[in-house]
Amino acid sequence: FKNINILNNKIKAKTILMKHNIPTSKFIKFEFDNIDTLYNELKNNNIKYPVVLKPMMGHKGYGVITNIDNIDEIKNIFNKKKNKNKKKIYIIEEQVEGSNYRFYLVNNKLIDVVSRIAPNVTGDGFSTLEELIDEENKNRAFNNRIVPNYFYLNKINIYKDTILENNLNIIVNNVVNFHRGATIKHIPIKNIHIDNINIIKDINNIFGTFVCGIDIISNDISKSYKNNNYTFNIIELNGNPHDEIHWMDKSLDKNYKNKFIQKCLEEYFNNHK
């Protein structure tokens, strides 16, 4: 359990990743008492905008805010939070662009990989954004309903009552998490560069976990993380990874869930021989 707690502590986990030269975004730790020194902290650590704000301990995308472009936006966000969250610790990290992937490992074997696609809606020329989201959520499970991010949307002049043009598709939350409304796409392991698989296994070995979910952002997962022309960034580690998302791609055959569980069980018993 000790390793799982370290894995789920974003500050400790990122610090360990950096110590081992694993690609992860630069960050600073932040507490409310330090708000007056925040500008200098960001500058001294050479943190570049846009940045992402997230709680040190968190899950399911709760409390995460992306696309923050300047110090005033950060202060405004904290001014709204401080009465309820005064004792919370946050991290502020550089934002990385690319697709969002979850690697699922058991006994240091890569079992499965999925991509999470940001929740989006398409306009019809007469419905408001809120109406489009409500209609889409009628067909979704409770834990996968779209949760709009109005901090992000308002910055591009889109509001609850905005009527989207016909066929105009927009992302409504760029915190790409299943519990925020992301959809799931299965990624065949054969499509992933071997260097990327190896570094994922190295990370799991560093933390010594039996079951681990590793989230990365990459703009081409088929290219090596060593190639500087492509992004490859570890954004989060999870000691209690959500397994259900690995069989939610509707294009998978109906037995994929059983195959996934069978792979996990095989690794469990391999470890307990």
Side-chain angles (χ1 to χ4, degrees), residues 207-219:
F207 288 90
T209 49
F210 183 67
V211 178
C212 181
I214 300 179
D215 295 341
I216 77 153
I217 288 180
S218 173
N219 57 10

Side-chain angles (χ1 to χ4, degrees), residues 56-74:
M56 181 182 75
M57 303 292 289
H59 62 293
K60 299 180 181 179
Y62 295 131
V64 178
I65 301 175
T66 62
N67 289 83
I68 303 172
D69 291 319
N70 54 63
I71 188 69
D72 289 334
E73 288 184 353
I74 298 175

Side-chain angles (χ1 to χ4, degrees), residues 105 107-108 198-209:
L105 298 96
N107 196 24
N108 210 37
N198 287 338
I199 196 172
I200 290 297
K201 290 183 176 181
D202 288 344
I203 293 167
N204 191 56
N205 278 329
I206 288 168
F207 288 90
T209 49

